[in-house]
Amino acid sequence: MTKWVYGFGNGKADGRADMRNLLGGKGANLAEMSVLGLPVPPGFTITTEVCSYYYDHGRSYPEELDGQMHDALAQIEGIVGARFGDKANPLLVSVRSGARASMPGMMDTVLNLGLNDETVGGLAARTGDERFAYDSYRRFIQMYGDVVLGVEHYRFEDELEGIKRERGVSLDTELTAADLKTLVDRYKGVVQTDLGQPFPQDPKDQLSGAIGAVFGSWMNQRAITYRRLHDIPASWGTAVTVQAMVFGNMGDDCATGVAFTRNPSTGENAFYGEYLINAQGEDVVAGIRTPQNLTKVSREQAGSDLPSMEESMPETFRQLCDIRDRLESHYRDMQDIEFTVQQGRLYILQTRNGKRTAAAALRIAVELAEAGVIDQREAVRRVEPQALDQLLHPTLDPKAQREVIAKGLPASPGAASGKIVLTADEAETLAQMGDKVILVREETSPEDIHGMHAAAGILTTRGGMTSHAAVVARGMGRACVSGAGELRIDPKAKTVSVGGVTLKAGDVITIDGAAGEVMKGEVPTVQPELSGDFATLMGWADAVRRMKIRTNAETPLDARTARKFGAEGIGLCRTEHMFFEADRITAVRRMIVAETVDARKAALAEILPMQRKDFVELFTIMKGLPVTIRLLDPPLHEFLPRTEEDLEEVARIAGVDLGRVRHRTAQLHESNPMLGHRGCRLGISFPEIYEMQARAIFEAVAEVKAASGETVTPEIMIPLAFSKKELDILKAAIVAVAAAVEAEKGIKLDFLVGTMIELPRAALRAHELAETAEFFSFGTNDLTQTTFGISRDDAGTFLPDYTRAGILEQDPFVTLDRDGVGELVSLAAERGRKTRSGIKLGICGEHGGDPASIHFCESVGLDYVSCSPYRVPIARLAAAQAALRAEVKAE
Ligand code: PEP
Ligand code: MG
């Protein structure tokens, strides 16, 4: 018989921490903590296999589930000494989701389940607190009504506000037991009116309703969006954990809180967290009340006068510190712990590896390795490459003028400027149009996830460091300031005001998520200093990495930045990018519109010295490291004169009449420039262009040799070829230029001639291309475009529909499509190697800086990946992780 239900409690458990695939992260860790003897309220977990069964069988359950749940519930009853549905002594439970990967706030939760018109009396009598019992009951109806029954949330909120108004009070806590009783009746009335049936009174029905809702929430829109953003497959499913309730809201000797074993923003090895006295779990995360600090030190640092838990509950705090140490050394990683104190007794409700900023991830991994808790390879595995992005990007220029208009909590570091938007949808819409936006909300909820992702930064007026906004922003690497309480948002007027300042939606603000500051206008930024931990971890990564990391760079600035970040050469110098500057573009245009070889040669003669100088600079910066120079590949439309002024300028410089230039421009116009006269097709039509470039490269090699003695071995790359014949013709021309320069300069040149693989035909005929080409570099931007038949320039208008509809899991221009494009890459690698064993293979499309694609590159055994300068550290780390994973596979 399949085991669908795993119990835990009283120092025992059916499951363990390594069963997270089956029990979800939450269920597995509760089982583990129970076995460790930590104070975990007893419960049981319904496995993720039930979720799969549920969706595979038309939302129904396996037959044995009921019986297994019944037994597991009986065990909880035995441990707690209360019975589910018992009038006098009722057991109440929480029902929560828990997937394999944590998805904070994405799915549904129901608390206080088991209350009804009768058991509420039992709860009141047992606790001697009628107010508490009715408060729990009204919370339950509200949550269950919203989550399970689908009654609109505001219907309950309206009733709550109504009774407060009638009683003339402003806080929930000022309502009496009698008020809450009335409220319960009104809530039940809302359910009856909206659904035409009463609120379910049978606890068993309540339980199966809640379990169904949790499984159902796996497929809600926000969970689907979250999974798409975090690459979590829908097939994993969620587990459901049913657990005996403990109460943090039974009085002033009760509390609820969230703690991190180390600081999740900085990584400092200091206990860190927040708690609320007399509150229920969700109050902390939801950001409804601003929570208090856990430790005295952090309270003092925050300048708060509300007592820390260390001061208000010293004995319980000591127990919590002890648990902190035990959990961290057990899991060997920073933990995020949820706890509740019920009448002075501490309970742990959850532990998981805590989300952290990139800076914290680095510091924690390095410090744990240095303390011998984990080894260096494990430290390398622990840091998510993409997260490094947060560290590499600019922070506010300390010297810049700034007008701070409000302060909040430093919830997620980084500086961001952008237009104010007040809703997640607007954030998404404006971002899609290319605007940078700051999402400003009272607080965020999981419904805002798409807008948070689209925004450059997030600003909230309520909520603490562990509020939804703060947690999600840190995970996404967005700058975030939370709880900026002085700000007033007026959604109707679409304004944000503070003091005498009123800003409108669309006005630009800047937030500094490291300082918690909000500024008017755009504040200039500077490059960050990278910490010692960064260099240490990068060093460890470099020690395990097999693939080399090169950069795509053509300007000295980019080349220098990339070197600083550890690039080991240039994998793609796009020579056409060297011509965009104002003083060059006219010469290039003149070359392009030239109608005779002589006119073209005259234009090229002007360009030659500029190109030579460019290459001298690059070779000098790269100091003997390999440099791959791609011969001209201009999508013509980017270069043709556009305006009347451009046309006149070209005519004037070329000394021909305007009509001819206009005519030639019209002649060169293409319907599909991406598939037009680009790449080596240009070199085939106009050999003198590539000859000039080859000459510039070789003369630069000679110049650098003469100046510094450095020997440069340039790798000359032919773009967009589909046949060996193209390569033969062009290589012969390059070799002839080399011979001429050798004779002129009296030197011996060393160089390689290779090609890009950017077309399916090139991949298929790779064995022939490799007869001429001495290296391949996969141009996966074009290879993706041509494999899918989707124009790179036009994909943006319809590709989102494809990812939304689940036809494509990811944008194939961002993450390499392994099944199609990937197959062409591995096939070309294999065919190329057959002809020329050991042929040098690299990738220089955008995918060269994408961690998932880098894993693929490792699996095909590429020699290097090449990416933009800012992605070099990301690629170094991703390549190291890929090598570690390949090692594990090989074992
Ligand atoms: C490519 O196609 O992947 C490539 C690197 O070349 P470009 O982006 O310049 O077309
Ligand atoms: Mg290309």
Side-chain angles (χ1 to χ4, degrees):
M1 191 168 80
T2 312
K3 186 167 171 58
W4 305 104
V5 173
Y6 285 69
F8 58 85
N10 225 10
K12 293 199 278 291
D14 300 338
R16 283 186 321 271
D18 61 2
M19 291 167 74
R20 60 187 304 130
N21 293 1
L22 189 64
L23 302 181
K26 186 176 292 158
N29 284 333
L30 282 168
E32 184 87 359
M33 285 197 292
S34 205
V35 174
L36 288 174
L38 297 185
V40 172
F44 60 85
T45 300
I46 306 170
T47 66
T48 54
E49 286 174 353
V50 177
C51 187
S52 307
Y53 185 104
Y54 177 81
Y55 283 108
D56 290 347
H57 295 81
R59 303 200 174 214
S60 66
Y61 297 106
E63 231 182 84
E64 308 93 340
L65 182 65
D66 232 14
Q68 293 187 15
M69 265 177 34
H70 182 269
D71 294 348
L73 200 56
Q75 285 208 1
I76 306 181
E77 290 173 336
I79 295 170
V80 178
R83 290 202 36 191
F84 195 53
D86 191 296
K87 272 190 252 180
N89 184 15
L91 168 71
L92 303 188
V93 296
S94 65
V95 180
R96 296 172 200 259
S97 61
R100 207 189 287 192
S102 98
M103 295 172 57
M106 288 304 116
M107 288 179 293
D108 292 334
T109 292
V110 180
L111 303 179
N112 303 325
L113 191 139
L115 280 173
N116 59 24
D117 294 348
E118 290 181 328
T119 57
V120 69
L123 183 66
R126 299 279 306 179
T127 58
D129 189 344
E130 194 177 31
R131 190 191 177 284
F132 159 74
Y134 279 93
D135 190 42
S136 301
Y137 192 20
R138 71 101 191 156
R139 284 172 188 259
F140 171 54
I141 300 176
Q142 190 166 345
M143 215 168 194
Y144 194 94
D146 175 18
V147 166
V148 184
L149 304 176
V151 176
E152 295 259 32
H153 186 64
Y154 79 90
R155 298 274 287 123
F156 298 114
E157 284 297 323
D158 285 354
E159 292 296 342
L160 180 60
E161 289 310 313
I163 199 159
K164 286 199 299 197
R165 221 176 15 250
E166 286 163 29
R167 302 291 184 268
V169 300
S170 59
L171 297 175
D172 301 4
T173 45
E174 292 171 299
L175 293 173
T176 64
D179 297 337
L180 291 165
K181 249 185 217 176
T182 311
L183 189 58
V184 162
D185 285 339
R186 292 187 188 174
Y187 275 6
K188 287 193 294 186
V190 165
V191 173
Q192 179 71 48
T193 315
D194 283 22
L195 304 179
Q197 52 194 20
F199 185 80
Q201 289 289 317
D202 181 346
K204 291 234 163 58
D205 292 344
Q206 295 174 352
L207 185 58
S208 61
I211 291 169
V214 175
F215 283 137
S217 68
W218 179 250
M219 288 297 175
N220 72 25
Q221 199 49 50
R222 59 181 198 248
I224 292 172
T225 306
Y226 188 93
R227 285 201 293 272
R228 184 163 50 73
L229 296 176
H230 292 84
D231 289 334
I232 299 172
S235 59
W236 282 3
T238 182
V240 178
T241 293
V242 176
Q243 191 176 22
M245 283 294 300
V246 285
F247 297 95
N249 56 338
M250 280 171 79
D252 287 345
D253 56 353
C254 301
T256 181
V258 178
F260 291 87
T261 57
R262 299 181 187 224
N263 185 314
S265 282
T266 63
E268 188 194 356
N269 188 3
F271 201 22
Y272 181 86
E274 294 172 330
Y275 81 115
L276 277 174
I277 288 186
N278 198 8
Q280 202 155 39
E282 308 310 291
D283 299 345
V284 180
V285 187
I288 291 162
R289 278 164 62 187
T290 298
Q292 295 161 231
N293 298 97
L294 217 55
T295 64
K296 186 160 172 266
V297 175
S298 49
R299 175 182 68 73
E300 285 163 359
Q301 274 166 1
S304 161
D305 45 16
L306 297 170
S308 66
M309 184 176 176
E310 187 174 2
E311 293 156 304
S312 67
M313 299 181 161
E315 180 46 36
T316 322
F317 177 75
R318 254 191 302 281
Q319 282 173 30
L320 189 61
C321 288
D322 181 45
I323 288 172
R324 167 202 179 199
D325 295 342
R326 288 184 62 192
L327 283 176
E328 196 178 274
S329 59
H330 184 75
Y331 286 100
R332 301 185 306 134
D333 199 0
M334 187 264 270
Q335 296 296 295
D336 163 355
I337 305 165
E338 281 178 25
F339 64 89
T340 284
V341 182
Q342 177 178 314
Q343 294 173 322
R345 262 195 81 178
L346 176 68
Y347 292 94
I348 305 297
L349 301 184
Q350 168 158 325
T351 190
R352 60 184 169 198
N353 292 339
K355 294 226 181 287
R356 61 203 80 183
T357 62
L362 275 175
R363 181 165 174 184
I364 291 169
V366 168
E367 289 186 0
L368 285 174
E370 282 173 346
V373 178
I374 56 175
D375 64 15
Q376 292 177 1
R377 297 153 83 86
E378 179 58 24
V380 166
R381 279 193 202 97
R382 288 271 175 97
V383 180
E384 199 203 323
Q386 202 64 55
L388 295 179
D389 211 27
Q390 283 176 44
L391 301 177
L392 306 172
H393 282 285
T395 53
L396 289 186
D397 181 351
K399 292 196 286 296
Q401 284 276 347
R402 55 178 91 178
E403 190 186 335
V404 177
I405 53 171
K407 281 205 76 150
L409 299 170
S412 178
S417 301
K419 292 182 177 170
I420 295 175
V421 291
L422 301 180
T423 69
D425 287 345
E426 270 175 273
E428 194 177 53
T429 310
L430 285 188
Q432 268 166 4
M433 283 165 19
D435 273 336
K436 277 186 19 188
V437 299
I438 306 289
L439 179 61
V440 186
R441 312 268 303 151
E442 277 197 346
E443 64 214 17
T444 62
S445 76
E447 272 84 18
D448 295 324
I449 200 92
H450 59 297
M452 298 173 77
H453 192 255
I458 296 146
L459 168 62
T460 67
T461 59
R462 293 213 295 223
M465 295 288 284
T466 49
S467 65
H468 179 265
V471 171
V472 173
R474 280 200 292 272
M476 283 181 176
R478 295 289 177 282
C480 177
V481 174
S482 66
E486 310 142 276
L487 290 178
R488 287 278 159 275
I489 300 174
D490 183 340
K492 286 211 183 80
K494 292 197 166 224
T495 57
V496 178
S497 49
V498 56
V501 185
T502 298
L503 300 167
K504 294 190 294 297
D507 287 350
V508 173
I509 54 168
T510 298
I511 60 170
D512 181 347
E517 291 177 346
V518 185
M519 285 141 284
K520 215 169 141 177
E522 182 163 352
V523 179
T525 52
V526 288
Q527 293 307 326
E529 282 296 321
L530 294 173
S531 73
D533 297 329
F534 179 84
T536 306
L537 193 92
M538 281 296 149
W540 295 345
D542 291 345
V544 294
R545 153 166 82 80
R546 183 192 62 80
M547 286 190 292
K548 294 273 184 206
I549 311 298
R550 297 197 194 180
T551 191
N552 294 358
E554 39 277 332
T555 65
L557 176 68
D558 279 355
R560 278 197 203 96
T561 306
R563 282 288 297 133
K564 198 176 79 195
F565 287 149
E568 297 161 298
I570 290 180
L572 174 64
C573 164
R574 291 178 163 108
T575 51
E576 62 282 358
H577 286 192
M578 300 169 130
F579 295 134
F580 280 128
E581 282 159 40
D583 57 338
R584 295 185 176 194
I585 191 142
T586 313
V588 178
R589 284 182 175 147
R590 205 179 128 197
M591 167 190 87
I592 289 174
V593 301
E595 289 178 289
T596 63
V597 176
D598 284 345
R600 195 169 307 109
K601 281 193 170 161
L604 286 167
E606 244 180 74
I607 299 170
L608 175 70
M610 304 182 206
Q611 274 271 264
R612 188 173 53 225
K613 183 166 157 287
D614 292 334
F615 297 141
V616 166
E617 275 184 300
L618 286 186
F619 293 156
T620 310
I621 293 167
M622 297 317 284
K623 291 207 172 75
L625 292 171
V627 176
T628 306
I629 296 166
R630 178 176 75 187
L631 300 179
L632 204 64
D633 176 13
L636 275 186
H637 61 305
E638 290 178 18
F639 282 92
L640 288 176
R642 288 172 211 213
T643 63
E644 200 56 24
E645 264 171 25
D646 292 346
L647 287 163
E648 281 168 16
E649 169 93 350
V650 173
R652 190 177 57 75
I653 303 229
V656 291
D657 75 64
L658 183 60
R660 293 203 69 85
V661 176
R662 195 172 284 135
H663 172 72
R664 181 74 180 141
T665 306
Q667 239 181 4
L668 289 171
H669 176 80
E670 292 179 323
S671 304
N672 294 301
M674 269 297 172
L675 300 176
H677 202 177
R678 357 166 354 206
C680 69
R681 297 162 199 172
L682 206 70
I684 295 292
S685 304
F686 311 119
E688 51 283 0
I689 298 179
Y690 280 9
E691 282 164 12
M692 176 282 287
Q693 290 197 294
R695 176 168 279 279
I697 294 168
F698 293 134
E699 289 183 359
V701 171
E703 201 174 313
V704 171
K705 178 88 190 163
S708 65
E710 193 84 66
T711 302
V712 180
T713 307
E715 299 175 0
I716 301 175
M717 183 153 79
I718 298 172
L720 220 70
F722 57 69
S723 76
K724 170 175 159 7
K725 282 195 179 143
E726 290 165 305
L727 298 183
D728 286 340
I729 293 168
L730 297 169
K731 185 172 175 181
I734 294 164
V735 169
V737 174
V741 175
E742 281 182 336
E744 287 161 28
K745 306 278 178 193
I747 56 162
K748 179 89 194 73
L749 290 166
D750 236 348
F751 62 94
L752 299 177
V753 178
T755 189
M756 297 186 72
I757 303 289
E758 299 178 280
L759 300 169
R761 192 180 195 283
L764 294 169
R765 308 311 291 173
H767 48 296
E768 290 166 2
L769 269 59
E771 286 172 17
T772 307
E774 292 160 290
F775 63 88
F776 287 167
S777 177
F778 291 96
T780 44
N781 302 333
D782 275 311
L783 192 57
T784 300
Q785 162 172 268
T786 51
T787 301
F788 280 85
I790 293 177
S791 152
R792 290 162 66 172
D793 285 349
D794 302 314
T797 53
F798 57 89
L799 219 49
D801 298 337
Y802 270 68
T803 39
R804 220 171 285 136
I807 301 167
L808 292 172
E809 287 265 326
Q810 288 128 336
D811 179 342
F813 289 101
V814 175
T815 294
L816 192 98
D817 155 53
R818 288 182 182 224
D819 297 344
V821 179
E823 182 164 355
L824 284 170
V825 170
S826 52
L827 190 133
E830 188 191 306
R831 292 186 179 176
R833 283 185 186 123
K834 221 172 243 161
T835 302
R836 193 185 284 270
S837 83
I839 184 171
K840 196 190 285 199
L841 300 175
I843 180 173
C844 62
E846 281 306 297
H847 307 92
D850 169 66
S853 312
I854 291 171
H855 277 265
F856 171 78
C857 295
E858 174 71 37
S859 72
V860 224
L862 298 193
D863 297 296
Y864 68 86
V865 300
S866 187
C867 57
S868 59
Y870 276 96
R871 287 199 177 172
V872 167
I874 297 172
R876 284 164 72 191
L877 185 54
Q881 292 179 351
L884 288 172
R885 197 188 292 172
E887 241 175 56
V888 172
K889 272 202 189 130
E891 273 163 14

